[in-house]
Amino acid sequence: VTHHLIGEKQLIQMKPGASILNFAREELVDTKALADRYDYFMSTNTLAKQNGEKETKIGKYICDFALPDTLWKRPNVISIPHLGASTAEAEENAASMAADTIKNFLETGTIVNSVNFPTAQLPNRDDASTRVCIVNENNPGMLGKIMSIFGDAQINILQHINASRGNIAYNVIDIATPNAESDDLSTFNFKSWDALQLALTSIPDVKSTRLILDTPGVGYAINVNNNIFGVGGNAQGKLTFAEV
């Protein structure tokens, strides 16, 4: 979306003396179009000087990252060192933020500030619930297939969130934890967490699943070419809902 946000079309609409300050990413500006713009004004200024006419004031390009040879040698281009993230305060804050983000993901399945995954934040519940996280291809009908597993198993969904980014979708689902004292466990189609996870991970186009139980960071299963690896890969002889 932001690649070449300032390109040939935008540059043409700017005044010749307009300056650009880019302290975000090089890719925001079409450097080739910018170099062509400067070349054009330099040639017109050369001609104006030969004819004794007033030269056009050319704007500056200022950034804090390396530039291609077509730009960085120009007198109106200033490339300064990128040091903002190298200060002691920035490195400490970045490390703290990264640790908090990973901790939050492991404990709750929350995703924020991801490069290639959608943002997904589902509030925690205080009642007896179990959180299920599912990554799948962002294809039509996938949410219905996932929800039907819970519905067919007579498992109540308390809350959920579904978010997508590109071809990836991410689901965080809180389900009511079966209770041996108050629930008739014979009505559940799946007699163990692993059996439930195996069914979810076996859905075509599901990439991975995770059950957040007592130990954060475990409970993963992945689907690689219809082969299930991790928890749920062998659903036989696992703990029942009541035993868990």
Side-chain angles (χ1 to χ4, degrees), residues 77-91:
V77 174
I78 302 174
S79 177
I80 61 178
H82 183 80
L83 298 176
S86 299
T87 63
E89 294 84 357
E91 291 185 354

Side-chain angles (χ1 to χ4, degrees), residues 202-214:
S202 298
I203 298 175
D205 293 332
V206 165
K207 292 181 172 293
S208 68
T209 61
R210 180 161 67 107
L211 300 180
I212 301 179
L213 297 169
D214 295 329

Side-chain angles (χ1 to χ4, degrees), residues 96-223:
S96 177
M97 184 180 68
D100 290 340
T101 300
I102 294 174
K103 180 176 181 288
N104 200 17
F105 171 73
L106 294 176
E107 292 180 347
T108 68
T110 296
I111 294 179
V112 294
N113 303 322
S114 173
V115 174
N116 51 10
F117 264 68
T119 296
Q121 296 176 286
L122 189 66
N124 287 330
R125 296 183 63 98
D126 296 329
D127 53 3
S129 62
T130 298
R131 180 157 291 188
V132 182
C133 303
I134 302 172
V135 179
N136 60 270
E137 295 281 352
N138 186 23
N139 295 330
M142 286 300 300
L143 185 59
K145 294 176 183 178
I146 292 170
M147 293 304 179
S148 67
I149 294 291
F150 297 107
D152 294 343
Q154 302 298 310
I155 296 176
N156 186 33
I157 295 176
L158 302 175
Q159 63 176 356
H160 82 279
I161 185 173
N162 171 268
S164 63
R165 185 172 184 176
N167 61 349
I168 292 293
Y170 182 62
N171 305 271
V172 183
I173 306 168
D174 283 343
I175 61 175
T177 302
N179 190 311
E181 296 180 357
S182 59
D183 296 329
D184 181 5
L185 299 182
S186 64
T187 63
F188 293 98
N189 292 356
F190 302 107
K191 305 307 179 184
S192 72
W193 289 114
D194 283 353
L196 171 63
Q197 188 172 21
L198 178 62
L200 290 169
T201 316
S202 298
I203 298 175
D205 293 332
V206 165
K207 292 181 172 293
S208 68
T209 61
R210 180 161 67 107
L211 300 180
I212 301 179
L213 297 169
D214 295 329
T215 305
V218 300
Y220 285 93
I222 62 174
N223 185 334

Side-chain angles (χ1 to χ4, degrees), residues 8-133:
E8 182 179 4
K9 180 180 178 181
Q10 291 74 27
L11 291 171
I12 290 176
Q13 297 174 350
M14 294 181 182
K15 294 181 178 180
S19 295
I20 300 174
L21 281 70
N22 181 6
F23 299 110
R25 292 289 183 270
E26 176 187 352
E27 293 78 11
L28 290 177
V29 178
D30 185 343
T31 53
K32 181 181 182 305
L34 185 61
D36 291 342
R37 169 186 172 88
Y38 290 154
D39 286 341
Y40 170 76
F41 286 125
M42 288 180 65
S43 63
T44 57
N45 279 347
T46 299
L47 184 61
K49 187 176 182 179
Q50 293 174 351
N51 296 332
E53 300 173 353
K54 183 179 179 180
E55 298 181 31
T56 299
K57 180 181 178 181
I58 303 176
K60 298 182 182 298
Y61 182 55
I62 305 173
C63 64
D64 61 347
F65 41 77
L67 290 171
D69 291 344
T70 53
L71 280 179
W72 76 269
K73 295 181 179 180
R74 298 174 184 269
N76 64 319
V77 174
I78 302 174
S79 177
I80 61 178
H82 183 80
L83 298 176
S86 299
T87 63
E89 294 84 357
E91 291 185 354
E92 181 178 346
N93 291 336
S96 177
M97 184 180 68
D100 290 340
T101 300
I102 294 174
K103 180 176 181 288
N104 200 17
F105 171 73
L106 294 176
E107 292 180 347
T108 68
T110 296
I111 294 179
V112 294
N113 303 322
S114 173
V115 174
N116 51 10
F117 264 68
T119 296
Q121 296 176 286
L122 189 66
N124 287 330
R125 296 183 63 98
D126 296 329
D127 53 3
S129 62
T130 298
R131 180 157 291 188
V132 182
C133 303

